[in-house]
PDB file of all heavy atoms in Angstrom:
ATOM      1  N   LYS B 212      72.120  91.203 134.550  1.00 96.00           N
ATOM      2  CA  LYS B 212      73.075  91.760 133.591  1.00 96.00           C
ATOM      3  C   LYS B 212      74.537  91.572 134.005  1.00 96.00           C
ATOM      4  O   LYS B 212      75.353  91.100 133.217  1.00 96.00           O
ATOM      5  CB  LYS B 212      72.815  93.253 133.380  1.00 96.00           C
ATOM      6  CG  LYS B 212      71.712  93.564 132.412  1.00 96.00           C
ATOM      7  CD  LYS B 212      71.427  95.041 132.409  1.00 96.00           C
ATOM      8  CE  LYS B 212      71.953  95.690 131.168  1.00 96.00           C
ATOM      9  NZ  LYS B 212      71.496  97.096 131.050  1.00 96.00           N
ATOM     10  N   LEU B 216      76.490  89.302 131.643  1.00 98.00           N
ATOM     11  CA  LEU B 216      77.229  90.094 130.658  1.00 98.00           C
ATOM     12  C   LEU B 216      78.552  90.632 131.189  1.00 98.00           C
ATOM     13  O   LEU B 216      79.382  91.099 130.416  1.00 98.00           O
ATOM     14  CB  LEU B 216      76.371  91.262 130.160  1.00 98.00           C
ATOM     15  CG  LEU B 216      74.999  90.916 129.576  1.00 98.00           C
ATOM     16  CD1 LEU B 216      74.255  92.179 129.188  1.00 98.00           C
ATOM     17  CD2 LEU B 216      75.130  89.967 128.409  1.00 98.00           C
ATOM     18  N   THR B 218      78.803  93.275 133.029  1.00 97.00           N
ATOM     19  CA  THR B 218      78.624  94.708 133.235  1.00 97.00           C
ATOM     20  C   THR B 218      77.142  95.047 133.150  1.00 97.00           C
ATOM     21  O   THR B 218      76.366  94.318 132.549  1.00 97.00           O
ATOM     22  CB  THR B 218      79.406  95.534 132.180  1.00 97.00           C
ATOM     23  OG1 THR B 218      79.190  96.921 132.413  1.00 97.00           O
ATOM     24  CG2 THR B 218      78.988  95.195 130.768  1.00 97.00           C
ATOM     25  N   ASP B 219      76.784  96.178 133.754  1.00 96.00           N
ATOM     26  CA  ASP B 219      75.402  96.663 133.609  1.00 96.00           C
ATOM     27  C   ASP B 219      75.355  97.873 132.678  1.00 96.00           C
ATOM     28  O   ASP B 219      74.355  98.573 132.594  1.00 96.00           O
ATOM     29  CB  ASP B 219      74.794  97.000 134.971  1.00 96.00           C
ATOM     30  CG  ASP B 219      75.542  98.096 135.704  1.00 96.00           C
ATOM     31  OD1 ASP B 219      76.577  98.578 135.195  1.00 96.00           O
ATOM     32  OD2 ASP B 219      75.106  98.471 136.812  1.00 96.00           O
ATOM     33  N   GLU B 220      76.434  98.111 131.938  1.00 95.00           N
ATOM     34  CA  GLU B 220      76.538  99.262 131.045  1.00 95.00           C
ATOM     35  C   GLU B 220      76.056  98.980 129.615  1.00 95.00           C
ATOM     36  O   GLU B 220      76.120  99.858 128.772  1.00 95.00           O
ATOM     37  CB  GLU B 220      77.993  99.750 130.993  1.00 95.00           C
ATOM     38  CG  GLU B 220      78.537 100.196 132.343  1.00 95.00           C
ATOM     39  CD  GLU B 220      77.794 101.398 132.909  1.00 95.00           C
ATOM     40  OE1 GLU B 220      77.527 102.343 132.145  1.00 95.00           O
ATOM     41  OE2 GLU B 220      77.464 101.363 134.107  1.00 95.00           O
ATOM     42  N   ILE B 221      75.612  97.777 129.341  1.00 97.00           N
ATOM     43  CA  ILE B 221      75.181  97.411 127.990  1.00 97.00           C
ATOM     44  C   ILE B 221      73.679  97.622 127.863  1.00 97.00           C
ATOM     45  O   ILE B 221      72.909  97.149 128.700  1.00 97.00           O
ATOM     46  CB  ILE B 221      75.558  95.950 127.669  1.00 97.00           C
ATOM     47  CG1 ILE B 221      77.079  95.821 127.607  1.00 97.00           C
ATOM     48  CG2 ILE B 221      74.907  95.473 126.378  1.00 97.00           C
ATOM     49  CD1 ILE B 221      77.583  94.404 127.441  1.00 97.00           C
ATOM     50  N   THR B 222      73.273  98.327 126.820  1.00 95.00           N
ATOM     51  CA  THR B 222      71.847  98.516 126.559  1.00 95.00           C
ATOM     52  C   THR B 222      71.425  97.653 125.383  1.00 95.00           C
ATOM     53  O   THR B 222      72.165  97.486 124.416  1.00 95.00           O
ATOM     54  CB  THR B 222      71.504  99.986 126.248  1.00 95.00           C
ATOM     55  OG1 THR B 222      72.589 100.629 125.628  1.00 95.00           O
ATOM     56  CG2 THR B 222      71.105 100.739 127.452  1.00 95.00           C
ATOM     57  N   TYR B 223      70.232  97.096 125.482  1.00 97.00           N
ATOM     58  CA  TYR B 223      69.698  96.227 124.448  1.00 97.00           C
ATOM     59  C   TYR B 223      68.187  96.341 124.438  1.00 97.00           C
ATOM     60  O   TYR B 223      67.571  96.761 125.412  1.00 97.00           O
ATOM     61  CB  TYR B 223      70.133  94.772 124.687  1.00 97.00           C
ATOM     62  CG  TYR B 223      69.820  94.256 126.070  1.00 97.00           C
ATOM     63  CD1 TYR B 223      68.594  93.668 126.355  1.00 97.00           C
ATOM     64  CD2 TYR B 223      70.743  94.380 127.102  1.00 97.00           C
ATOM     65  CE1 TYR B 223      68.296  93.208 127.620  1.00 97.00           C
ATOM     66  CE2 TYR B 223      70.459  93.915 128.370  1.00 97.00           C
ATOM     67  CZ  TYR B 223      69.239  93.341 128.628  1.00 97.00           C
ATOM     68  OH  TYR B 223      68.940  92.894 129.886  1.00 97.00           O
ATOM     69  N   VAL B 253      78.532  97.231 121.541  1.00 98.00           N
ATOM     70  CA  VAL B 253      78.107  96.201 122.484  1.00 98.00           C
ATOM     71  C   VAL B 253      79.040  94.987 122.399  1.00 98.00           C
ATOM     72  O   VAL B 253      79.434  94.431 123.429  1.00 98.00           O
ATOM     73  CB  VAL B 253      76.630  95.803 122.238  1.00 98.00           C
ATOM     74  CG1 VAL B 253      76.248  94.580 123.067  1.00 98.00           C
ATOM     75  CG2 VAL B 253      75.706  96.971 122.556  1.00 98.00           C
ATOM     76  N   ALA B 256      82.125  95.837 124.325  1.00 98.00           N
ATOM     77  CA  ALA B 256      81.866  95.825 125.771  1.00 98.00           C
ATOM     78  C   ALA B 256      81.789  94.393 126.294  1.00 98.00           C
ATOM     79  O   ALA B 256      82.312  94.096 127.375  1.00 98.00           O
ATOM     80  CB  ALA B 256      80.579  96.589 126.083  1.00 98.00           C
ATOM     81  N   LEU B 257      81.157  93.502 125.541  1.00 98.00           N
ATOM     82  CA  LEU B 257      81.094  92.098 125.948  1.00 98.00           C
ATOM     83  C   LEU B 257      82.494  91.495 125.988  1.00 98.00           C
ATOM     84  O   LEU B 257      82.855  90.790 126.936  1.00 98.00           O
ATOM     85  CB  LEU B 257      80.201  91.294 124.992  1.00 98.00           C
ATOM     86  CG  LEU B 257      78.707  91.561 125.089  1.00 98.00           C
ATOM     87  CD1 LEU B 257      77.971  90.905 123.929  1.00 98.00           C
ATOM     88  CD2 LEU B 257      78.154  91.082 126.424  1.00 98.00           C
TER      89      LEU B 257
END
Side-chain angles (χ1 to χ4, degrees):
K212 278 173 106 171
L216 305 178
T218 179
D219 61 357
E220 299 297 316
I221 294 174
T222 30
Y223 53 88
V253 171
L257 288 169

